Amino acid sequence: MIRPMINRDSQFFWDGTAVDELRIQRCNACAELRFPPGPACPDCGALDRGFVVSGGVGTVFSYIVHRHPPVPGKELPIVIALVDLDEGVRMVGEVVDVADDQIEIGMRLRVDYHHVDDDLTLPVWRVAEEDQ
Ligand SMILES: [Zn+2]
């Protein structure tokens, strides 16, 4: 199992996934959203940072299908997508219920949460249900 690096800048993100929230860092000075999280706002340089909770829906910007080499704890192939969240930031994540020959750019995805253990919950992506 490959574990993500959790540090002071990304702690809020992992605290979020633990309670089924996809959190996006937001600058408290200029309200710019950013991902990945970092200590300073790339827009205005402010260090005062907060977050918003994403609606958890986005669009596939691009993707890769990982067939080789083997990944510990994983069955291959794995579909990894760059997802453009509706809030305007881009995240990378595993797509869990789309076959490697079904994934396509522009597909709508919704986040779900894979509770790995007490310390780690990974966001994963599934096909978004059509809005009613
Ligand atoms: Zn800012």
Side-chain angles (χ1 to χ4, degrees), residues 59-110:
T59 303
V60 176
F61 172 77
S62 72
Y63 63 90
I64 58 151
V65 177
H66 182 96
R67 301 178 195 280
H68 191 82
V71 177
K74 288 287 187 186
E75 200 171 311
L76 299 182
I78 306 169
V79 178
I80 303 287
L82 273 177
V83 182
D84 280 342
L85 296 185
D86 289 356
E87 287 83 0
V89 299
R90 186 169 292 165
M91 277 185 194
V92 62
E94 183 179 353
V95 183
V96 291
D97 68 351
V98 181
D100 55 313
D101 60 352
Q102 297 288 314
I103 184 83
E104 56 186 33
I105 289 167
M107 186 175 270
R108 297 283 286 164
L109 300 177
R110 181 181 297 278

Side-chain angles (χ1 to χ4, degrees), residues 26-32 34 40-46 48:
R26 181 178 60 182
C27 175
N28 282 338
C30 73
E32 184 78 10
R34 61 186 190 262
C41 176
D43 218 49
C44 75
D48 184 8

Side-chain angles (χ1 to χ4, degrees), residues 8 16 18 23 31 35 37 43 49 56 63 72 85 93 103 105-106 112 114 116 118 121 131-132:
R8 207 177 49 153
R23 296 177 177 177
F35 191 90
D43 218 49
R49 53 200 193 270
Y63 63 90
L85 296 185
I103 184 83
I105 289 167
D112 194 8
H114 176 211
V116 177
D118 287 347
T121 299
D131 290 331
Q132 300 299 312

Side-chain angles (χ1 to χ4, degrees), residues 4-7 10-19 120-123:
M5 220 170 65
I6 299 176
N7 60 31
S10 62
Q11 184 67 51
F12 78 97
F13 180 83
W14 302 108
D15 289 347
T17 59
V19 294
L120 180 63
T121 299
L122 292 173

